């Protein structure tokens, strides 16, 4: 069984190298905010700290995804506008991408695809890190007959713009 923290570390050191996209620090949150690792705090204090940190990470992932995708769409529409301004007016996403591919150089299209792949990989890693953190928190909380968070926090991940 592969430890998710190692997966995130490998991703950061290899696939994510050179990228400025935000990645949830799974290991830090697991080590500092999961109850089994912070036994000196009350249940409510530990839960509140975990929720606060978790929501901060969710917000950062959401905002960064929005920023990155806005840059992608700006590139696409700038490219379309330079070659044929009429095609950029009110274009739907599929049409905009098709127009961009037709008007951009092969190198520009490959760069855009590489950026999209990096954004997708970061989004998947962030969603999975946040999900696994909740799962790990709940597993430990159940052992101690404490309040679990899946029903509260997982809907926030699944409704986020990056999942």
């Amino acid at each position: 069984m592969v430890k998710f923290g190692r997966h995130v570390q490998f991703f950061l050191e290899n696939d994510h190298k050179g990228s400025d996209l935000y990645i949830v620090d799974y290991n830090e949150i697991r080590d500092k905010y999961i109850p089994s690792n912070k036994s000196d705090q009350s249940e409510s204090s530990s839960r509140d700290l975990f929720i606060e940190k978790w929501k901060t990470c969710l917000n950062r992932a959401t905002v960064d995804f929005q920023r990155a995708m806005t840059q992608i769409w700006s590139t696409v529409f700038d490219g379309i506008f330079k070659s044929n301004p009429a095609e950029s007016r009110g274009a739907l996403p599929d049409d905009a991408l098709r127009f961009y591919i037709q008007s951009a150089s092969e190198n520009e299209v490959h760069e855009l695809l590489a950026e999209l792949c990096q954004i997708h990989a970061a989004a998947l890693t962030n969603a999975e890190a946040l999900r696994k953190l909740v799962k790990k928190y709940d597993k430990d909380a159940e052992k101690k007959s404490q309040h679990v968070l899946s029903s509260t926090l997982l809907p926030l991940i699944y409704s986020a713009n990056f999942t």
Side-chain angles (χ1 to χ4, degrees), residues 81-97:
F81 186 79
K82 287 176 185 169
S83 69
N84 188 346
E87 289 177 340
S88 68
R89 280 193 303 269
L92 294 171
D94 288 352
D95 293 333
L97 287 172

Side-chain angles (χ1 to χ4, degrees), residues 30-63:
R30 182 200 61 214
D31 294 344
K32 290 185 181 177
Y33 299 97
I34 302 292
S36 64
N37 299 319
K38 288 296 271 186
S39 57
D40 59 334
Q41 294 178 335
S42 70
E43 173 198 350
S44 64
S45 174
S46 176
R47 181 181 61 242
D48 292 346
L49 286 171
F50 176 80
I51 291 170
E52 181 182 340
K53 182 64 174 177
W54 188 92
K55 284 184 174 180
T56 299
C57 292
L58 175 65
N59 185 54
R60 285 188 67 192
T62 300
V63 167

